[in-house]
Amino acid sequence: MNPLQEDMESALTGSQSPHTSLRDVHSINPTHLMARIESYEGREKKGISDVRRTFCLFVTFDLLFVTLLWIIELNVNGGIENTLEKEVVQYDYYSSYFDIFLLAVFRFKVLILAYAVCRLRHWWAIALTTAVTSAFLLAKVILSKLFSQGAFGYVLPIISFLLAWIETWFLDFKVLPQEAEEENRLLIVQDASERAALIPGGLSDGQFYSPPESEAGSEEEAEEKQDSEKPLLEL
């Protein structure tokens, strides 16, 4: 092959390779990146994530459900007024359900304050409420006389115990991991957008000029023509 042709082909290959690499870099769509950043920032501006809001709703359900069961128990055992006076005013640890209701209020206040108002991202608050609930209910079941008072002696302690542990599971395995994952995604998208901003914009295919490939025969004909003209000039 003609050395001149080899040089031209290597030059053409070199000019096409940076063209391709730059085109690959600009395949990153800044508009798409900004849209994703705005979506993540919109979630941050809401102040509370969807999964955390669901957790707070479940904590509210915990309080309302235990309250409903306690009111039903008051109404079943001789009327709300008489039973309320007996369980609240004349409180007896061994026979009253009022402390189980107060335990639900305690869980509600601590968890809403910690994870809705203060927006904690740690499990210590739910660990505190679950530990207090479990210890109190176990002691009450062992020492009190609830089982001799009908079905509510079984229902209220078991329901309170289950709700407390469901809240712990939901926070530890759903809320905190999902929020951490969304935060990592936001950091990755922001980093990608910063890198894309450093790349010169506005590059198009028209800005890259590749010279047309010349034929090898044309160069050889030009050299032969010059050689034929030299003797004529000498004459």
Side-chain angles (χ1 to χ4, degrees):
M1 183 181 292
N2 192 350
L4 180 61
Q5 184 178 0
E6 293 178 357
D7 294 340
M8 293 184 67
E9 288 180 356
S10 62
L12 287 172
T13 306
S15 64
Q16 289 175 357
S17 59
H19 184 191
T20 305
S21 62
L22 282 172
R23 193 160 49 192
D24 292 339
V25 171
H26 279 276
S27 63
I28 302 174
N29 191 349
T31 305
H32 179 62
L33 287 176
M34 292 305 299
R36 292 186 64 181
I37 292 175
E38 290 176 358
S39 66
Y40 284 118
E41 289 179 349
R43 296 176 187 175
E44 293 293 330
K45 289 179 181 179
K46 288 192 301 184
I48 187 170
S49 63
D50 295 336
V51 65
R52 185 179 290 256
R53 184 168 60 249
T54 304
F55 171 76
C56 294
L57 288 175
F58 186 78
V59 172
T60 306
F61 167 78
D62 175 12
L63 174 63
L64 295 178
F65 189 54
V66 173
T67 303
L68 177 63
L69 291 178
W70 183 53
I71 292 174
I72 294 173
E73 184 270 332
L74 292 176
N75 197 18
V76 168
N77 294 332
I80 294 179
E81 295 182 0
N82 296 331
T83 311
L84 188 63
E85 181 180 359
K86 178 181 178 181
E87 292 194 4
V88 177
V89 179
Q90 304 173 2
Y91 170 75
D92 183 9
Y93 174 79
Y94 298 97
S95 60
S96 178
Y97 296 96
F98 179 60
D99 45 13
I100 297 179
F101 165 75
L102 291 181
L103 199 60
V105 174
F106 165 74
R107 288 196 303 271
F108 174 80
K109 288 185 176 180
V110 172
L111 296 179
I112 293 297
L113 178 64
Y115 297 110
V117 179
C118 299
R119 299 170 193 169
L120 292 181
R121 294 189 175 183
H122 199 272
W123 47 263
W124 68 264
I126 192 75
L128 174 65
T129 57
T130 304
V132 171
T133 299
S134 301
F136 182 85
L137 290 176
L138 287 174
K140 191 172 182 66
V141 167
I142 294 172
L143 300 176
S144 67
K145 303 175 183 178
L146 295 180
F147 296 148
S148 62
Q149 299 182 18
F152 285 98
Y154 299 89
V155 172
L156 274 173
I158 292 174
I159 291 296
S160 298
F161 187 83
L162 289 177
L163 290 175
W165 280 97
I166 292 174
E167 290 166 354
T168 303
W169 172 84
F170 191 80
L171 181 77
D172 197 24
F173 289 92
K174 295 294 182 180
V175 178
L176 299 182
Q178 185 169 335
E179 289 183 345
E181 183 179 356
E182 289 181 356
E183 186 177 358
N184 291 335
R185 287 178 182 174
L186 175 60
L187 294 176
I188 292 172
V189 172
Q190 287 178 343
D191 183 62
S193 65
E194 291 175 359
R195 292 182 181 180
L198 297 176
I199 302 174
L203 296 178
S204 61
D205 292 344
Q207 292 179 268
F208 296 94
Y209 173 74
S210 298
E213 185 178 357
S214 60
E215 297 180 357
S218 62
E219 296 294 335
E220 294 177 356
E221 291 176 359
E223 292 178 358
E224 292 177 357
K225 187 177 181 180
Q226 289 178 0
D227 294 340
S228 63
E229 289 178 354
K230 286 182 180 180
L232 295 177
L233 292 175
E234 291 176 356
L235 292 175

